[in-house]
């Protein structure tokens, strides 16, 4: 347990740190290189590699778009080219890099070194490129061990580029892969994401082909992830066992000043943080991750980075790499990056706003309101389809963002509630209102819209880029922003659910317009009729007001919108056939995969919470109570001395009583929680329910008493770094 010295040293260390100087890439004359000159140097680019002949390049592009398999001969060419490239850059090892259900990434390294005819050479064989065999039983598999064989396979994902990571003393080539069990069950995040991308492409393409774009051959999902995080000095971090063990502070008295003045958001970036951000951007550029935006976030000590969007599979991999890079670069600057959704109670938590859209094979963004009436109608229909998808599959979308960490954030400070609603902005809302009421929509300058096909939508939308930061799912001009996703999330999971939901509605929409057109309707008439159908059906999910307000919770209940308040509730959607059927019907998940995800995610929720409880109890028993006893001792001595000379000591007695009461209440709750933990038995679901409904609220009561004690006892008796120090000293 930390002592007063630990805390004081941390303060001194953090204030006196010398800013790290970073090596900026220089050209031959010693001038700083432009970013475009070193961008992607650690990324293996099939398109520009001179060791890959045109036929192979063509096949790879075809395979990437069609999901077919690459021929072994051509894979061999790639294996040789990438070996040459990576070893020339100093890589000694390669690994299959994948995203198991832990939410992080996994890698097992092998050396390029091979002995051939008694001589050492560097080689990556074609079979090593195509497939790996990690032991599946050591990764979360939801008890699948008994039914599946323990063997698991990683297989090369051609659609995401290979890259080199640099350790302190060497480099490794990472090959993005999918991870499946012996019997073909997806044990990872990527496999279902890839399926969802294909499925959405198929359904959306069919739809577009029917309604006036016959030459569209494919639709890509595009995502851009805005990543929020906190930076705190490493000495504070290591002096807070709760941060080390659980990623968040389990207790703490709020600082007098936190974010009330709104002075941090977009404020000047402190030099030490700026140094970190510059090095982070540089590392990301090397990896071909197009970091674009960096700024202070709302809470003190909180920051954001956003790269330029890409196709979903690549962007999802990049986000994993980005999180790892944030952590690694932070350490070089003696910071610890905290990616938890709610590291400090009382101030903003961190999200990962996933900006989502679709782009057709001609490069058109399907959520861009076009310039002519037909495009406008197609755009409105697309918005209506997505709105219907979110309405219809709200519980599944809520499930997709469920985690112990995100439970703290949803519905708390500046975070969207657990109720999934859609914000559309002023213009579309007006149009949808009119559609819902069966009226014609009249534009600002008097032109009718619906009759003529929403003529000036693009123009009108320009003036309506207003933002609603309180919505979990907001339309922001030419894309939707899924704001409820947690900062630590592996985005491939929620995006796979969203894609499946939208694909589900696209399928019905294509069937609908097909029959309308067969019955003699024009494409535009069919689009209008479809839009009306979905707007009327999904009208209740549209909400443009303040999503953070209590009134909304009540209003949403009246509207019949689901409100799954915690992960224990939300994850059950995976086991509920009616709510998850679309995931199997679209082929994005198999039933067995949903079952195993329930087990893995619920168990992870339980384990996270159990670790938190045990850490909290340890802190109370070994730090909070001893500090409180020390103060009682001091007070007791004063009270006794005053009494011995017949002096009143009402102040000391008052404080003593207050402290004593807080301690007694704290201890009673500690005993209850300790007993409750010992009594945790039953199925994963039973344990989840008990934790969410019973134990977790108890732990919050304990945290509140700890905060009260912290605010009573003298600063020099408190051993844990305080919020104000962690958040403000650097
Ligand atoms: P904001 O005002 O919300 O910060 P930005 O334009 O900065 O909006 O975009 C935020 C994120 O959305 C970035 O990662 C950006 O690349 C991404 N984005 C922009 N357009 C699209 C799109 N069509 N599809 C997916 N993501 C997009
Ligand atoms: Mg945004």
């Amino acid at each position: 347990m930390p002592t007063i010295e630990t805390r004081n040293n941390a303060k001194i260390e953090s204030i006196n740190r010398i800013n790290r100087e970073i090596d900026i890439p220089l050209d031959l004359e010693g001038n700083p290189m432009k970013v475009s000159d070193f961008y992607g140097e650690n990324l293996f680019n099939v398109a520009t590699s001179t060791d890959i002949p045109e036929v192979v390049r063509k096949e790879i592009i075809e395979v990437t778009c069609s999901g077919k398999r690459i021929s072994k001969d051509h894979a061999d060419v790639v294996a040789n080219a990438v070996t040459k490239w990576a070893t020339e850059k100093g890589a000694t090892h390669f690994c299959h890099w994948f995203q198991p259900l832990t939410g992080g990434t996994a890698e097992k390294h092998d050396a390029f070194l091979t002995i051939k005819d008694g001589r050492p050479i560097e080689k990556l064989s074609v079979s090593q490129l195509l497939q790996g065999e990690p032991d599946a039983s050591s990764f979360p598999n939801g008890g699948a061990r008994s039914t599946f064989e323990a063997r698991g396979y990683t297989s090369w994902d051609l659609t995401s580029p290979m890259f080199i990571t640099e350790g302190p003393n060497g480099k490794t080539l990472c090959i993005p892969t999918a991870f499946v069990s012996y019997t073909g069950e997806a044990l990872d995040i990527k496999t279902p994401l890839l399926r969802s991308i294909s499925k959405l492409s198929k359904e959306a393409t069919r739809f577009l082909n029917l309604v006036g774009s016959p030459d569209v051959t494919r639709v890509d999902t595009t995502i851009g992830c805005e990543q929020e995080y906190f930076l705190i000095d490493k000495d504070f971090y290591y002096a807070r066992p709760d941060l080390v063990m659980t990623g968040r502070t389990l207790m703490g008295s709020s600082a007098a000043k936190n974010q009330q003045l709104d002075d941090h958001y977009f404020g000047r970036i402190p030099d030490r943080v700026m140094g970190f951000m510059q090095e982070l951007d540089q590392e990301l550029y090397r990896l071909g991750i197009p970091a674009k935006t960096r700024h202070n976030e709302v809470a003190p000590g909180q920051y954001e980075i956003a790269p330029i969007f890409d196709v979903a599979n690549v962007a999802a991999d990049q986000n994993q790499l980005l999180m790892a890079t944030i952590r690694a670069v932070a350490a070089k600057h003696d910071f610890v990056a905290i990616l938890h959704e709610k590291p400090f109670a009382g101030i903003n938590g961190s999200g990962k706003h996933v900006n989502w859209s679709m782009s057709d094979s001609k490069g058109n963004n399907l959520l861009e309101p076009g310039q002519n009436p037909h495009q406008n109608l197609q755009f409105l229909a697309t918005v209506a389809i997505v709105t219907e998808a979110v309405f219809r599959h709200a519980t599944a979308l809520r499930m997709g963002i469920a985690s112990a960490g995100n439970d703290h954030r949803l519905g708390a400070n500046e975070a969207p509630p657990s109720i999934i609603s859609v914000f559309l902005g002023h213009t579309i809302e007006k149009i949808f209102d009119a559609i819902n009421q069966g009226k014609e929509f009249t534009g600002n300058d008097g032109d009718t819209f619906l009759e003529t096909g929403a003529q000036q939508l693009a123009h009108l939308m320009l003036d309506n880029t207003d933002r609603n930061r309180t919505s979990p799912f907001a339309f922001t001009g030419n894309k939707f922003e899924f704001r409820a996703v947690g900062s630590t999330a592996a985005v491939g999971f929620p995006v796979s659910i969203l894609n499946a939901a939208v694909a589900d509605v696209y399928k019905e929409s294509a069937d609908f317009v097909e029959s309308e057109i067969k019955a003699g309707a024009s494409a535009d008439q069919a689009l209008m009729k479809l839009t009306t159908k979905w707007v009327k059906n999904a009208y209740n999910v549209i909400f443009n007001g303040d999503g953070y307000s209590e009134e909304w919770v009540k209003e949403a209940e009246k509207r019949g919108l689901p409100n799954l308040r915690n992960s224990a509730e939300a994850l059950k959607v995976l086991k509920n056939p009616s709510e998850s059927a679309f995931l199997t019907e679209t082929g994005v998940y198999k039933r067995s995969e949903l079952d195993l995800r329930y087990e893995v995610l619920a168990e992870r929720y339980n384990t996270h919470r159990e670790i938190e409880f045990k850490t909290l109890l340890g802190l109370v028993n070994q730090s909070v109570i001893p500090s409180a006893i020390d103060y009682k001792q001091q007070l007791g001595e004063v009270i006794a001395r005053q009494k011995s000379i017949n002096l009143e000591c009402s102040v000391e007695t008052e404080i003593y009583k207050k402290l004593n009461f807080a301690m007694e209440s704290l201890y009673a709750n500690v005993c209850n929680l300790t007993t409750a933990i010992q009594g945790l038995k039953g199925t994963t679901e039973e344990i989840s329910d008990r934790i969410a409904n019973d134990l977790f609220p108890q732990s919050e009561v304990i945290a509140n008493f700890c905060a009260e004690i912290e605010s009573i006892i003298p600063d020099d008796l408190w051993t844990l770094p305080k919020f104000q120090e962690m958040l403000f000293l650097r």
Side-chain angles (χ1 to χ4, degrees):
M1 277 294 151
T3 62
I4 295 289
E5 284 74 48
T6 335
R7 179 175 154 220
N8 285 339
N9 280 340
K11 283 199 251 183
I12 296 167
E13 287 293 327
S14 67
I15 295 168
N16 293 322
R17 296 250 188 243
I18 295 164
N19 291 344
R20 169 182 158 88
E21 275 190 27
I22 64 173
D23 295 329
I24 292 174
L26 301 175
D27 64 16
L28 293 174
E29 274 110 58
N31 299 315
M33 279 164 93
K34 281 189 299 198
V35 169
S36 52
D37 288 338
F38 66 92
Y39 182 82
E41 67 177 19
N42 285 342
L43 199 66
F44 181 66
N45 193 335
V46 175
T48 56
S49 168
T50 48
D51 291 313
I52 298 197
E54 196 50 38
V55 273
V56 181
R57 208 189 317 279
K58 269 206 182 126
E59 192 194 348
I60 291 178
I61 292 169
E62 212 186 293
V63 164
T64 320
C65 302
S66 68
K68 280 190 220 123
R69 276 166 194 262
I70 186 171
S71 69
K72 214 159 181 177
D73 287 351
H74 287 176
D76 195 40
V77 174
V78 177
N80 289 331
V82 77
T83 307
K84 181 165 170 253
W85 173 78
T87 51
E88 276 174 11
K89 289 184 88 58
T92 53
H93 288 67
F94 64 88
C95 73
H96 276 198
W97 183 83
F98 59 101
Q99 300 184 34
L101 298 176
T102 54
T105 57
E107 49 196 74
K108 179 181 151 231
H109 296 201
D110 279 297
F112 282 110
L113 179 73
T114 311
I115 307 293
K116 192 172 179 231
D117 304 331
R119 283 186 36 231
I121 56 159
E122 270 83 19
K123 185 158 177 68
L124 168 68
S125 70
V126 65
S127 58
Q128 284 169 319
L129 170 65
L130 292 174
Q131 206 171 69
E133 270 190 53
D135 177 4
S137 64
S138 309
F139 289 101
N141 54 23
R145 247 164 299 187
S146 49
T147 40
F148 306 142
E149 282 213 33
R151 242 183 312 166
Y153 292 106
T154 50
S155 79
W156 179 33
D157 169 21
L158 270 79
T159 60
S160 184
M162 295 182 245
F163 55 91
I164 288 178
T165 55
E166 296 184 36
N169 300 306
K171 298 180 183 179
T172 306
L173 170 74
C174 298
I175 305 166
T177 53
F179 180 43
V180 296
S181 77
Y182 179 65
T183 43
E185 264 77 11
L187 296 175
D188 67 346
I189 303 281
K190 186 191 275 280
T191 307
L193 174 65
L194 291 173
R195 293 179 191 149
S196 79
I197 291 168
S198 303
K199 180 66 181 175
L200 180 55
S201 175
K202 180 174 166 234
E203 300 301 348
T205 303
R206 178 177 161 231
F207 178 82
L208 291 174
N209 290 164
L210 284 165
V211 296
S213 307
D215 44 351
V216 166
T217 54
R218 152 185 121 241
V219 171
D220 292 325
T221 311
T222 54
I223 61 170
C225 307
E226 301 166 53
Q227 177 75 48
E228 297 177 338
Y229 59 93
F230 281 82
L231 287 180
I232 67 165
D233 191 88
K234 74 165 187 208
D235 279 34
F236 286 133
Y237 175 82
Y238 287 111
R240 290 283 312 209
D242 46 358
L243 276 179
V244 176
M245 288 292 131
T246 71
R248 72 178 180 103
T249 56
L250 298 175
M251 60 170 75
S253 172
S254 292
K257 171 178 183 286
N258 44 57
Q259 61 193 43
Q260 309 95 316
L261 297 173
D262 287 329
D263 50 355
H264 190 255
Y265 189 56
F266 282 7
R268 183 178 178 280
I269 299 168
D271 283 351
R272 190 172 155 208
V273 175
M274 194 61 196
F276 153 81
M277 287 181 170
Q278 283 162 334
E279 186 166 4
L280 173 63
D281 282 351
Q282 196 174 297
E283 289 306 310
L284 295 173
Y285 294 148
R286 286 201 163 107
L287 286 163
I289 299 179
K292 181 82 175 165
T293 312
R294 59 188 187 202
H295 61 80
N296 285 0
E297 252 307 320
V298 171
Q302 192 188 27
Y303 307 93
E304 177 179 305
I305 180 167
I308 298 169
F309 71 97
D310 206 329
V311 289
N313 179 37
V314 171
D317 278 355
Q318 285 185 343
N319 182 254
Q320 286 288 355
L321 203 48
L322 176 124
M323 290 193 283
T325 312
I326 290 178
R327 290 196 176 97
V329 175
K332 291 185 182 169
H333 291 257
D334 294 317
F335 282 126
V336 174
I338 314 257
L339 280 106
H340 194 282
E341 283 78 9
K342 195 76 176 176
F344 304 96
I347 56 174
N348 277 16
S350 297
K352 173 144 53 202
H353 303 172
V354 178
N355 294 269
W356 176 96
S357 190
M358 295 167 288
S359 170
D360 71 20
S361 45
K362 293 184 285 181
N364 299 314
N365 176 357
L366 300 187
L367 287 168
E368 188 78 54
Q371 297 296 339
N372 66 50
H374 169 71
Q375 286 172 337
N376 282 178
L377 282 179
Q378 196 168 300
F379 161 78
L380 283 179
T382 311
V383 175
I385 285 169
V386 178
T387 306
E388 167 68 15
V390 175
F391 172 69
R392 194 184 287 189
H393 300 302
T395 55
L397 288 165
R398 168 67 183 93
M399 176 279 293
I401 52 164
S403 71
N406 215 17
D407 278 1
H408 294 269
R409 175 176 164 262
L410 297 179
N413 278 55
E414 286 244 352
S418 333
I419 306 159
I420 302 290
S421 64
V422 180
F423 168 84
L424 293 175
H426 188 65
T427 306
I428 306 178
E429 191 200 355
K430 268 189 155 172
I431 297 174
F432 279 15
D433 271 351
I435 292 176
N436 189 43
Q437 291 160 24
K439 288 189 206 146
E440 277 185 4
F441 174 68
T442 308
N444 288 349
D445 36 20
D447 288 344
T448 49
F449 264 67
L450 298 178
E451 278 284 279
T452 51
Q455 249 124 358
Q456 324 142 299
L457 211 45
H459 152 77
L460 250 191
M461 297 281 299
L462 270 185
D463 308 327
N464 280 287
T465 49
D466 54 338
R467 295 291 161 87
N468 184 331
R469 293 178 51 90
T470 68
S471 176
F473 199 86
F475 184 72
T476 52
N478 59 2
K479 61 193 188 286
F480 277 96
E481 188 172 329
F482 194 2
R483 301 185 63 245
V485 180
S487 46
T488 54
V491 295
F493 185 51
V495 171
S496 73
I497 309 285
L498 176 58
N499 282 357
V502 178
D504 177 42
V505 180
Y506 256 122
K507 181 174 184 302
E508 269 183 51
S509 302
D511 293 345
F512 180 87
V513 294
E514 192 173 43
S515 68
E516 287 295 313
I517 291 168
K518 263 196 194 134
S522 71
D524 282 3
Q525 283 165 337
L527 280 171
M528 199 56 234
K529 207 162 169 188
L530 178 82
T531 306
T532 308
K533 175 178 152 97
W534 293 146
V535 168
K536 283 185 185 281
N537 195 53
Y539 197 71
N540 271 347
V541 84
I542 302 168
F543 178 64
N544 289 349
D546 180 3
Y548 297 164
S549 68
E550 253 315 298
E551 292 83 72
W552 169 232
V553 178
K554 288 186 200 129
E555 162 76 16
E557 201 180 327
K558 255 195 246 153
R559 292 190 188 187
L561 300 181
N563 183 4
L564 305 177
R565 285 166 205 273
N566 55 53
S567 296
E569 272 181 66
L571 291 173
K572 288 181 196 174
V573 171
L574 285 163
K575 298 205 295 183
N576 180 329
S578 70
E579 289 177 2
S580 58
F582 76 102
L583 294 171
T584 51
E585 283 159 10
T586 49
V588 173
Y589 288 89
K590 298 176 186 169
R591 179 48 59 194
S592 59
E593 292 169 349
L594 294 178
D595 291 343
L596 85 83
R597 270 161 187 73
Y598 176 77
E599 279 302 316
V600 170
L601 295 175
E603 208 173 289
R604 207 163 85 198
Y605 169 79
N606 295 353
T607 311
H608 269 295
R609 286 285 185 243
E610 283 175 45
I611 293 171
E612 288 183 352
F613 299 151
K614 287 177 186 160
T615 308
L616 177 66
L617 293 173
L619 277 178
V620 172
N621 290 328
Q622 293 166 46
S623 181
V624 178
I625 289 182
S627 292
I629 290 176
D630 283 350
Y631 189 35
K632 279 175 94 175
Q633 170 81 21
Q634 285 184 7
L635 286 168
E637 282 169 18
V638 177
I639 293 168
R641 197 177 319 129
Q642 304 249 103
K643 285 226 167 110
S644 72
I645 53 172
N646 283 329
L647 268 182
E648 269 285 320
C649 51
S650 57
V651 174
E652 291 83 353
T653 311
E654 212 32 61
I655 298 174
Y656 195 103
K657 277 191 195 157
K658 206 168 138 191
L659 181 58
N660 198 53
F661 177 75
M663 278 179 77
E664 278 175 355
S665 317
L666 171 66
Y667 199 68
N669 280 288
V670 162
C671 293
N672 284 346
L673 182 60
T674 311
T675 318
I677 294 172
Q678 282 157 1
L680 269 185
K681 280 190 198 73
T683 61
T684 309
E685 181 175 346
E686 285 159 359
I687 294 177
S688 284
D689 283 340
R690 280 221 53 209
I691 287 179
N693 300 323
D694 219 8
L695 276 66
F696 176 68
Q698 274 182 47
S699 74
E700 293 277 271
V701 173
I702 292 176
N704 288 339
F705 280 117
C706 290
E708 191 184 334
I709 292 173
E710 180 184 333
S711 71
I712 298 174
I713 75 168
D715 195 52
D716 66 354
L717 290 181
W718 190 255
T719 56
L720 299 169
K722 296 188 169 182
F723 281 9
Q724 67 206 49
E725 297 158 357
M726 292 187 277
L727 296 172
F728 289 99
L729 299 189
R730 60 178 50 85

